[in-house]
Amino acid sequence: MKSDTPVADQQEHVGEKMAVVAAGGIPWRIHKGRLEVLVIHRPRYDDWSWPKGKLDAVETVPECGIREVYEEIGLKATLGIPLQPIHYRVSAGLKIVHYWAIQVDGQRLLPDGKEVDSVLWCSPSKAASLLSNPSDVVPLEELVAAHERNELETWPLIIVRHAKAKPRASWTKAEGDRTLAATGVRQAQAVKRLLMVWMPERIVTSPWQRCVSTIAPYAKATDAKVKLVEALTERKHERSPKKTAAVVEGLFDRPKPVALCTHRPALPTVLKQLAAHMPQQMSLSLPTNDPYLTPGETIVCHVSVAKPTKILAVEQYKPYED
């Protein structure tokens, strides 16, 4: 018996406070030339659903999504394009579930046996007929539409503003050597956890210390290659914004997950260059006012594999600070 009452109209709760926040994903693959998605069976509710779970107090929504997918079905993956969140009533009040498309490439899945006792790869139409909560069809329809447009497979391009640095006014040494404040050191650890959601294989960063220190925890925890680029410093950007823009443009040359770390004064140039790769309506969602991003904040651009250099979706997150 299902315990959750679905809400048919996803728009009727705009502005209402969420009592429960959850996140998860729709795993997908191309099998024998056809799109398949993975549904899970939960013995506690005897229902069919997508892998998902509630937000922990010490994580961001994307971190929750990737953690829950791993805990429930043993899938180590990264998040693809964001899908439309769904809302429905539970005993505590209104619940929101954030979903992402998650590409699965030949990995063996291991249901935890407790929360999930069975998984099934099937066609989207079969999944729609199995899903116990009608609201779960909403993100599925969006995933299928993206597949039909050949816009489902993507790679992430991530922009990071460096974490909080020691005050400029109190720093007496070279500007490029200015270090992170104590808060910034904690933010750098949070940035690491957030980047783990998309696992960039390479980092392109300003060589100034506050940028290097921001991405260092992630770089040390992974095999990501780090490239220091002078054009991303404040000084070089002031002298030649075109060179900074060229660095951003160069990120599109290799369709591999990448993160760029730079300074607040360079962000307008970075964002303008990104806007050139997305529909105008989407570009309006980019920050337009100083400081553009807070220290440690990130913008995630999902770039099409089939349509090189086209950005299909944009997300913006502040890392959770302990």
PDB file of all heavy atoms in Angstrom, residues 268-303:
ATOM      1  N   PRO A 268      32.321  38.041 -14.710  1.00  0.00           N
ATOM      2  CA  PRO A 268      31.483  38.552 -15.805  1.00  0.00           C
ATOM      3  C   PRO A 268      31.964  38.081 -17.176  1.00  0.00           C
ATOM      4  O   PRO A 268      31.154  37.746 -18.042  1.00  0.00           O
ATOM      5  CB  PRO A 268      31.601  40.078 -15.653  1.00  0.00           C
ATOM      6  CG  PRO A 268      31.948  40.289 -14.228  1.00  0.00           C
ATOM      7  CD  PRO A 268      32.814  39.131 -13.849  1.00  0.00           C
ATOM      8  N   THR A 269      33.267  38.048 -17.368  1.00  0.00           N
ATOM      9  CA  THR A 269      33.824  37.583 -18.636  1.00  0.00           C
ATOM     10  C   THR A 269      33.558  36.100 -18.829  1.00  0.00           C
ATOM     11  O   THR A 269      33.182  35.649 -19.920  1.00  0.00           O
ATOM     12  CB  THR A 269      35.336  37.857 -18.688  1.00  0.00           C
ATOM     13  OG1 THR A 269      35.556  39.268 -18.623  1.00  0.00           O
ATOM     14  CG2 THR A 269      35.962  37.297 -19.956  1.00  0.00           C
ATOM     15  N   VAL A 270      33.752  35.324 -17.770  1.00  0.00           N
ATOM     16  CA  VAL A 270      33.517  33.877 -17.830  1.00  0.00           C
ATOM     17  C   VAL A 270      32.055  33.588 -18.166  1.00  0.00           C
ATOM     18  O   VAL A 270      31.740  32.779 -19.048  1.00  0.00           O
ATOM     19  CB  VAL A 270      33.897  33.216 -16.495  1.00  0.00           C
ATOM     20  CG1 VAL A 270      33.460  31.756 -16.468  1.00  0.00           C
ATOM     21  CG2 VAL A 270      35.401  33.330 -16.255  1.00  0.00           C
ATOM     22  N   LEU A 271      31.150  34.267 -17.480  1.00  0.00           N
ATOM     23  CA  LEU A 271      29.727  34.024 -17.679  1.00  0.00           C
ATOM     24  C   LEU A 271      29.270  34.473 -19.076  1.00  0.00           C
ATOM     25  O   LEU A 271      28.430  33.805 -19.697  1.00  0.00           O
ATOM     26  CB  LEU A 271      28.920  34.743 -16.601  1.00  0.00           C
ATOM     27  CG  LEU A 271      29.169  34.260 -15.166  1.00  0.00           C
ATOM     28  CD1 LEU A 271      28.425  35.134 -14.167  1.00  0.00           C
ATOM     29  CD2 LEU A 271      28.764  32.800 -15.008  1.00  0.00           C
ATOM     30  N   LYS A 272      29.814  35.565 -19.553  1.00  0.00           N
ATOM     31  CA  LYS A 272      29.461  36.029 -20.900  1.00  0.00           C
ATOM     32  C   LYS A 272      29.877  35.010 -21.952  1.00  0.00           C
ATOM     33  O   LYS A 272      29.143  34.756 -22.914  1.00  0.00           O
ATOM     34  CB  LYS A 272      30.133  37.381 -21.176  1.00  0.00           C
ATOM     35  CG  LYS A 272      29.805  37.957 -22.548  1.00  0.00           C
ATOM     36  CD  LYS A 272      30.478  39.303 -22.752  1.00  0.00           C
ATOM     37  CE  LYS A 272      30.159  39.868 -24.131  1.00  0.00           C
ATOM     38  NZ  LYS A 272      30.839  41.184 -24.353  1.00  0.00           N
ATOM     39  N   GLN A 273      31.031  34.405 -21.750  1.00  0.00           N
ATOM     40  CA  GLN A 273      31.501  33.406 -22.715  1.00  0.00           C
ATOM     41  C   GLN A 273      30.627  32.160 -22.673  1.00  0.00           C
ATOM     42  O   GLN A 273      30.325  31.564 -23.708  1.00  0.00           O
ATOM     43  CB  GLN A 273      32.963  33.044 -22.421  1.00  0.00           C
ATOM     44  CG  GLN A 273      33.665  32.346 -23.569  1.00  0.00           C
ATOM     45  CD  GLN A 273      33.789  33.230 -24.801  1.00  0.00           C
ATOM     46  OE1 GLN A 273      33.905  34.455 -24.682  1.00  0.00           O
ATOM     47  NE2 GLN A 273      33.759  32.620 -25.967  1.00  0.00           N
ATOM     48  N   LEU A 274      30.208  31.766 -21.491  1.00  0.00           N
ATOM     49  CA  LEU A 274      29.312  30.616 -21.368  1.00  0.00           C
ATOM     50  C   LEU A 274      27.964  30.910 -22.006  1.00  0.00           C
ATOM     51  O   LEU A 274      27.367  30.033 -22.653  1.00  0.00           O
ATOM     52  CB  LEU A 274      29.110  30.258 -19.896  1.00  0.00           C
ATOM     53  CG  LEU A 274      30.320  29.712 -19.149  1.00  0.00           C
ATOM     54  CD1 LEU A 274      29.971  29.508 -17.679  1.00  0.00           C
ATOM     55  CD2 LEU A 274      30.801  28.402 -19.761  1.00  0.00           C
ATOM     56  N   ALA A 275      27.481  32.124 -21.827  1.00  0.00           N
ATOM     57  CA  ALA A 275      26.169  32.498 -22.366  1.00  0.00           C
ATOM     58  C   ALA A 275      26.115  32.347 -23.884  1.00  0.00           C
ATOM     59  O   ALA A 275      25.058  32.075 -24.454  1.00  0.00           O
ATOM     60  CB  ALA A 275      25.821  33.938 -21.968  1.00  0.00           C
ATOM     61  N   ALA A 276      27.244  32.490 -24.532  1.00  0.00           N
ATOM     62  CA  ALA A 276      27.296  32.364 -25.993  1.00  0.00           C
ATOM     63  C   ALA A 276      27.034  30.932 -26.449  1.00  0.00           C
ATOM     64  O   ALA A 276      26.788  30.692 -27.639  1.00  0.00           O
ATOM     65  CB  ALA A 276      28.653  32.833 -26.507  1.00  0.00           C
ATOM     66  N   HIS A 277      27.061  29.996 -25.512  1.00  0.00           N
ATOM     67  CA  HIS A 277      26.878  28.586 -25.860  1.00  0.00           C
ATOM     68  C   HIS A 277      25.522  28.045 -25.421  1.00  0.00           C
ATOM     69  O   HIS A 277      25.319  26.825 -25.432  1.00  0.00           O
ATOM     70  CB  HIS A 277      27.982  27.746 -25.214  1.00  0.00           C
ATOM     71  CG  HIS A 277      29.332  27.987 -25.793  1.00  0.00           C
ATOM     72  ND1 HIS A 277      29.805  27.306 -26.890  1.00  0.00           N
ATOM     73  CD2 HIS A 277      30.309  28.867 -25.454  1.00  0.00           C
ATOM     74  CE1 HIS A 277      31.017  27.735 -27.194  1.00  0.00           C
ATOM     75  NE2 HIS A 277      31.346  28.680 -26.329  1.00  0.00           N
ATOM     76  N   MET A 278      24.611  28.914 -25.048  1.00  0.00           N
ATOM     77  CA  MET A 278      23.305  28.449 -24.574  1.00  0.00           C
ATOM     78  C   MET A 278      22.191  29.300 -25.153  1.00  0.00           C
ATOM     79  O   MET A 278      22.437  30.438 -25.608  1.00  0.00           O
ATOM     80  CB  MET A 278      23.257  28.467 -23.041  1.00  0.00           C
ATOM     81  CG  MET A 278      23.416  29.834 -22.422  1.00  0.00           C
ATOM     82  SD  MET A 278      23.438  29.811 -20.590  1.00  0.00           S
ATOM     83  CE  MET A 278      25.016  29.016 -20.250  1.00  0.00           C
ATOM     84  N   PRO A 279      20.969  28.785 -25.181  1.00  0.00           N
ATOM     85  CA  PRO A 279      19.838  29.585 -25.646  1.00  0.00           C
ATOM     86  C   PRO A 279      19.705  30.860 -24.816  1.00  0.00           C
ATOM     87  O   PRO A 279      20.050  30.882 -23.630  1.00  0.00           O
ATOM     88  CB  PRO A 279      18.641  28.659 -25.446  1.00  0.00           C
ATOM     89  CG  PRO A 279      19.214  27.281 -25.428  1.00  0.00           C
ATOM     90  CD  PRO A 279      20.568  27.420 -24.809  1.00  0.00           C
ATOM     91  N   GLN A 280      19.192  31.912 -25.428  1.00  0.00           N
ATOM     92  CA  GLN A 280      19.099  33.201 -24.744  1.00  0.00           C
ATOM     93  C   GLN A 280      18.291  33.097 -23.456  1.00  0.00           C
ATOM     94  O   GLN A 280      18.665  33.679 -22.439  1.00  0.00           O
ATOM     95  CB  GLN A 280      18.479  34.247 -25.661  1.00  0.00           C
ATOM     96  CG  GLN A 280      18.410  35.637 -25.025  1.00  0.00           C
ATOM     97  CD  GLN A 280      17.833  36.683 -25.963  1.00  0.00           C
ATOM     98  OE1 GLN A 280      17.327  36.355 -27.028  1.00  0.00           O
ATOM     99  NE2 GLN A 280      17.900  37.935 -25.566  1.00  0.00           N
ATOM    100  N   GLN A 281      17.200  32.346 -23.493  1.00  0.00           N
ATOM    101  CA  GLN A 281      16.366  32.234 -22.306  1.00  0.00           C
ATOM    102  C   GLN A 281      17.138  31.600 -21.154  1.00  0.00           C
ATOM    103  O   GLN A 281      17.011  32.005 -20.006  1.00  0.00           O
ATOM    104  CB  GLN A 281      15.109  31.404 -22.619  1.00  0.00           C
ATOM    105  CG  GLN A 281      14.070  31.394 -21.516  1.00  0.00           C
ATOM    106  CD  GLN A 281      13.498  32.779 -21.232  1.00  0.00           C
ATOM    107  OE1 GLN A 281      13.355  33.600 -22.139  1.00  0.00           O
ATOM    108  NE2 GLN A 281      13.155  33.046 -19.970  1.00  0.00           N
ATOM    109  N   MET A 282      17.963  30.621 -21.477  1.00  0.00           N
ATOM    110  CA  MET A 282      18.769  29.970 -20.450  1.00  0.00           C
ATOM    111  C   MET A 282      19.823  30.914 -19.905  1.00  0.00           C
ATOM    112  O   MET A 282      20.125  30.917 -18.703  1.00  0.00           O
ATOM    113  CB  MET A 282      19.440  28.707 -21.010  1.00  0.00           C
ATOM    114  CG  MET A 282      20.193  27.891 -19.971  1.00  0.00           C
ATOM    115  SD  MET A 282      21.021  26.455 -20.706  1.00  0.00           S
ATOM    116  CE  MET A 282      19.602  25.545 -21.322  1.00  0.00           C
ATOM    117  N   SER A 283      20.396  31.733 -20.768  1.00  0.00           N
ATOM    118  CA  SER A 283      21.442  32.662 -20.336  1.00  0.00           C
ATOM    119  C   SER A 283      20.926  33.670 -19.323  1.00  0.00           C
ATOM    120  O   SER A 283      21.693  34.205 -18.522  1.00  0.00           O
ATOM    121  CB  SER A 283      22.038  33.391 -21.542  1.00  0.00           C
ATOM    122  OG  SER A 283      21.099  34.298 -22.112  1.00  0.00           O
ATOM    123  N   LEU A 284      19.618  33.909 -19.340  1.00  0.00           N
ATOM    124  CA  LEU A 284      19.032  34.851 -18.382  1.00  0.00           C
ATOM    125  C   LEU A 284      19.087  34.318 -16.957  1.00  0.00           C
ATOM    126  O   LEU A 284      18.919  35.079 -16.006  1.00  0.00           O
ATOM    127  CB  LEU A 284      17.579  35.155 -18.771  1.00  0.00           C
ATOM    128  CG  LEU A 284      17.373  35.838 -20.128  1.00  0.00           C
ATOM    129  CD1 LEU A 284      15.890  36.025 -20.407  1.00  0.00           C
ATOM    130  CD2 LEU A 284      18.098  37.178 -20.176  1.00  0.00           C
ATOM    131  N   SER A 285      19.322  33.022 -16.797  1.00  0.00           N
ATOM    132  CA  SER A 285      19.404  32.439 -15.462  1.00  0.00           C
ATOM    133  C   SER A 285      20.788  32.612 -14.844  1.00  0.00           C
ATOM    134  O   SER A 285      20.973  32.355 -13.649  1.00  0.00           O
ATOM    135  CB  SER A 285      19.067  30.943 -15.515  1.00  0.00           C
ATOM    136  OG  SER A 285      20.063  30.226 -16.233  1.00  0.00           O
ATOM    137  N   LEU A 286      21.764  33.051 -15.638  1.00  0.00           N
ATOM    138  CA  LEU A 286      23.107  33.266 -15.107  1.00  0.00           C
ATOM    139  C   LEU A 286      23.144  34.511 -14.230  1.00  0.00           C
ATOM    140  O   LEU A 286      22.400  35.469 -14.473  1.00  0.00           O
ATOM    141  CB  LEU A 286      24.111  33.412 -16.256  1.00  0.00           C
ATOM    142  CG  LEU A 286      24.325  32.188 -17.142  1.00  0.00           C
ATOM    143  CD1 LEU A 286      25.247  32.539 -18.314  1.00  0.00           C
ATOM    144  CD2 LEU A 286      24.900  31.026 -16.342  1.00  0.00           C
ATOM    145  N   PRO A 287      23.998  34.541 -13.214  1.00  0.00           N
ATOM    146  CA  PRO A 287      24.093  35.716 -12.343  1.00  0.00           C
ATOM    147  C   PRO A 287      24.503  36.964 -13.139  1.00  0.00           C
ATOM    148  O   PRO A 287      25.341  36.889 -14.039  1.00  0.00           O
ATOM    149  CB  PRO A 287      25.198  35.327 -11.350  1.00  0.00           C
ATOM    150  CG  PRO A 287      25.268  33.849 -11.400  1.00  0.00           C
ATOM    151  CD  PRO A 287      24.910  33.455 -12.794  1.00  0.00           C
ATOM    152  N   THR A 288      23.897  38.084 -12.808  1.00  0.00           N
ATOM    153  CA  THR A 288      24.189  39.330 -13.518  1.00  0.00           C
ATOM    154  C   THR A 288      24.719  40.434 -12.608  1.00  0.00           C
ATOM    155  O   THR A 288      25.182  41.466 -13.099  1.00  0.00           O
ATOM    156  CB  THR A 288      22.926  39.849 -14.230  1.00  0.00           C
ATOM    157  OG1 THR A 288      21.873  40.011 -13.267  1.00  0.00           O
ATOM    158  CG2 THR A 288      22.467  38.874 -15.305  1.00  0.00           C
ATOM    159  N   ASN A 289      24.639  40.247 -11.317  1.00  0.00           N
ATOM    160  CA  ASN A 289      25.039  41.296 -10.378  1.00  0.00           C
ATOM    161  C   ASN A 289      26.254  40.875  -9.557  1.00  0.00           C
ATOM    162  O   ASN A 289      26.380  39.705  -9.161  1.00  0.00           O
ATOM    163  CB  ASN A 289      23.879  41.642  -9.432  1.00  0.00           C
ATOM    164  CG  ASN A 289      22.676  42.184 -10.175  1.00  0.00           C
ATOM    165  OD1 ASN A 289      22.814  42.959 -11.117  1.00  0.00           O
ATOM    166  ND2 ASN A 289      21.489  41.763  -9.771  1.00  0.00           N
ATOM    167  N   ASP A 290      27.129  41.838  -9.306  1.00  0.00           N
ATOM    168  CA  ASP A 290      28.282  41.641  -8.443  1.00  0.00           C
ATOM    169  C   ASP A 290      27.787  41.223  -7.045  1.00  0.00           C
ATOM    170  O   ASP A 290      26.850  41.843  -6.538  1.00  0.00           O
ATOM    171  CB  ASP A 290      29.053  42.965  -8.384  1.00  0.00           C
ATOM    172  CG  ASP A 290      30.441  42.808  -7.797  1.00  0.00           C
ATOM    173  OD1 ASP A 290      30.902  41.666  -7.709  1.00  0.00           O
ATOM    174  OD2 ASP A 290      31.040  43.831  -7.434  1.00  0.00           O
ATOM    175  N   PRO A 291      28.319  40.163  -6.454  1.00  0.00           N
ATOM    176  CA  PRO A 291      29.566  39.440  -6.744  1.00  0.00           C
ATOM    177  C   PRO A 291      29.396  38.223  -7.654  1.00  0.00           C
ATOM    178  O   PRO A 291      30.298  37.411  -7.739  1.00  0.00           O
ATOM    179  CB  PRO A 291      30.047  39.018  -5.363  1.00  0.00           C
ATOM    180  CG  PRO A 291      28.772  38.738  -4.622  1.00  0.00           C
ATOM    181  CD  PRO A 291      27.791  39.761  -5.124  1.00  0.00           C
ATOM    182  N   TYR A 292      28.230  38.057  -8.301  1.00  0.00           N
ATOM    183  CA  TYR A 292      27.978  36.972  -9.246  1.00  0.00           C
ATOM    184  C   TYR A 292      27.902  35.608  -8.552  1.00  0.00           C
ATOM    185  O   TYR A 292      26.908  34.906  -8.672  1.00  0.00           O
ATOM    186  CB  TYR A 292      29.017  36.964 -10.372  1.00  0.00           C
ATOM    187  CG  TYR A 292      29.134  38.303 -11.030  1.00  0.00           C
ATOM    188  CD1 TYR A 292      30.155  39.189 -10.700  1.00  0.00           C
ATOM    189  CD2 TYR A 292      28.169  38.722 -11.956  1.00  0.00           C
ATOM    190  CE1 TYR A 292      30.233  40.440 -11.276  1.00  0.00           C
ATOM    191  CE2 TYR A 292      28.241  39.984 -12.543  1.00  0.00           C
ATOM    192  CZ  TYR A 292      29.265  40.837 -12.201  1.00  0.00           C
ATOM    193  OH  TYR A 292      29.346  42.090 -12.758  1.00  0.00           O
ATOM    194  N   LEU A 293      28.966  35.214  -7.872  1.00  0.00           N
ATOM    195  CA  LEU A 293      28.959  33.996  -7.064  1.00  0.00           C
ATOM    196  C   LEU A 293      29.548  34.331  -5.701  1.00  0.00           C
ATOM    197  O   LEU A 293      30.453  35.155  -5.599  1.00  0.00           O
ATOM    198  CB  LEU A 293      29.790  32.891  -7.717  1.00  0.00           C
ATOM    199  CG  LEU A 293      29.330  32.357  -9.072  1.00  0.00           C
ATOM    200  CD1 LEU A 293      30.346  31.350  -9.615  1.00  0.00           C
ATOM    201  CD2 LEU A 293      27.949  31.728  -8.984  1.00  0.00           C
ATOM    202  N   THR A 294      29.050  33.680  -4.660  1.00  0.00           N
ATOM    203  CA  THR A 294      29.649  33.839  -3.344  1.00  0.00           C
ATOM    204  C   THR A 294      30.892  32.943  -3.269  1.00  0.00           C
ATOM    205  O   THR A 294      31.061  32.043  -4.092  1.00  0.00           O
ATOM    206  CB  THR A 294      28.656  33.454  -2.236  1.00  0.00           C
ATOM    207  OG1 THR A 294      28.239  32.096  -2.438  1.00  0.00           O
ATOM    208  CG2 THR A 294      27.431  34.356  -2.271  1.00  0.00           C
ATOM    209  N   PRO A 295      31.778  33.174  -2.310  1.00  0.00           N
ATOM    210  CA  PRO A 295      32.973  32.327  -2.210  1.00  0.00           C
ATOM    211  C   PRO A 295      32.634  30.840  -2.152  1.00  0.00           C
ATOM    212  O   PRO A 295      31.793  30.412  -1.359  1.00  0.00           O
ATOM    213  CB  PRO A 295      33.625  32.803  -0.911  1.00  0.00           C
ATOM    214  CG  PRO A 295      33.236  34.249  -0.815  1.00  0.00           C
ATOM    215  CD  PRO A 295      31.812  34.284  -1.322  1.00  0.00           C
ATOM    216  N   GLY A 296      33.267  30.067  -3.014  1.00  0.00           N
ATOM    217  CA  GLY A 296      33.039  28.628  -3.062  1.00  0.00           C
ATOM    218  C   GLY A 296      31.834  28.189  -3.872  1.00  0.00           C
ATOM    219  O   GLY A 296      31.636  26.992  -4.109  1.00  0.00           O
ATOM    220  N   GLU A 297      31.028  29.141  -4.337  1.00  0.00           N
ATOM    221  CA  GLU A 297      29.825  28.790  -5.091  1.00  0.00           C
ATOM    222  C   GLU A 297      30.181  28.315  -6.496  1.00  0.00           C
ATOM    223  O   GLU A 297      31.181  28.730  -7.077  1.00  0.00           O
ATOM    224  CB  GLU A 297      28.882  29.986  -5.159  1.00  0.00           C
ATOM    225  CG  GLU A 297      27.485  29.645  -5.647  1.00  0.00           C
ATOM    226  CD  GLU A 297      26.497  30.788  -5.451  1.00  0.00           C
ATOM    227  OE1 GLU A 297      26.937  31.912  -5.094  1.00  0.00           O
ATOM    228  OE2 GLU A 297      25.288  30.566  -5.642  1.00  0.00           O
ATOM    229  N   THR A 298      29.336  27.448  -7.045  1.00  0.00           N
ATOM    230  CA  THR A 298      29.625  26.850  -8.341  1.00  0.00           C
ATOM    231  C   THR A 298      28.456  26.999  -9.308  1.00  0.00           C
ATOM    232  O   THR A 298      27.295  27.076  -8.899  1.00  0.00           O
ATOM    233  CB  THR A 298      29.926  25.343  -8.215  1.00  0.00           C
ATOM    234  OG1 THR A 298      28.740  24.671  -7.790  1.00  0.00           O
ATOM    235  CG2 THR A 298      31.028  25.075  -7.210  1.00  0.00           C
ATOM    236  N   ILE A 299      28.789  27.020 -10.595  1.00  0.00           N
ATOM    237  CA  ILE A 299      27.811  26.914 -11.668  1.00  0.00           C
ATOM    238  C   ILE A 299      28.165  25.666 -12.469  1.00  0.00           C
ATOM    239  O   ILE A 299      29.318  25.488 -12.867  1.00  0.00           O
ATOM    240  CB  ILE A 299      27.818  28.152 -12.572  1.00  0.00           C
ATOM    241  CG1 ILE A 299      27.218  29.344 -11.827  1.00  0.00           C
ATOM    242  CG2 ILE A 299      27.047  27.894 -13.868  1.00  0.00           C
ATOM    243  CD1 ILE A 299      27.215  30.628 -12.622  1.00  0.00           C
ATOM    244  N   VAL A 300      27.187  24.811 -12.684  1.00  0.00           N
ATOM    245  CA  VAL A 300      27.397  23.574 -13.437  1.00  0.00           C
ATOM    246  C   VAL A 300      26.672  23.686 -14.766  1.00  0.00           C
ATOM    247  O   VAL A 300      25.446  23.842 -14.796  1.00  0.00           O
ATOM    248  CB  VAL A 300      26.887  22.348 -12.656  1.00  0.00           C
ATOM    249  CG1 VAL A 300      27.169  21.066 -13.435  1.00  0.00           C
ATOM    250  CG2 VAL A 300      27.507  22.288 -11.272  1.00  0.00           C
ATOM    251  N   CYS A 301      27.430  23.609 -15.847  1.00  0.00           N
ATOM    252  CA  CYS A 301      26.860  23.633 -17.190  1.00  0.00           C
ATOM    253  C   CYS A 301      26.926  22.223 -17.771  1.00  0.00           C
ATOM    254  O   CYS A 301      27.981  21.593 -17.759  1.00  0.00           O
ATOM    255  CB  CYS A 301      27.641  24.588 -18.101  1.00  0.00           C
ATOM    256  SG  CYS A 301      27.622  26.307 -17.559  1.00  0.00           S
ATOM    257  N   HIS A 302      25.806  21.728 -18.272  1.00  0.00           N
ATOM    258  CA  HIS A 302      25.757  20.405 -18.887  1.00  0.00           C
ATOM    259  C   HIS A 302      25.874  20.589 -20.399  1.00  0.00           C
ATOM    260  O   HIS A 302      24.973  21.129 -21.037  1.00  0.00           O
ATOM    261  CB  HIS A 302      24.467  19.696 -18.509  1.00  0.00           C
ATOM    262  CG  HIS A 302      24.335  19.442 -17.042  1.00  0.00           C
ATOM    263  ND1 HIS A 302      24.817  18.307 -16.437  1.00  0.00           N
ATOM    264  CD2 HIS A 302      23.817  20.213 -16.045  1.00  0.00           C
ATOM    265  CE1 HIS A 302      24.578  18.364 -15.134  1.00  0.00           C
ATOM    266  NE2 HIS A 302      23.971  19.513 -14.870  1.00  0.00           N
ATOM    267  N   VAL A 303      26.985  20.135 -20.955  1.00  0.00           N
ATOM    268  CA  VAL A 303      27.295  20.352 -22.361  1.00  0.00           C
ATOM    269  C   VAL A 303      26.948  19.095 -23.161  1.00  0.00           C
ATOM    270  O   VAL A 303      27.275  17.972 -22.762  1.00  0.00           O
ATOM    271  CB  VAL A 303      28.785  20.696 -22.553  1.00  0.00           C
ATOM    272  CG1 VAL A 303      29.070  21.068 -24.011  1.00  0.00           C
ATOM    273  CG2 VAL A 303      29.195  21.834 -21.622  1.00  0.00           C
TER     274      VAL A 303
END
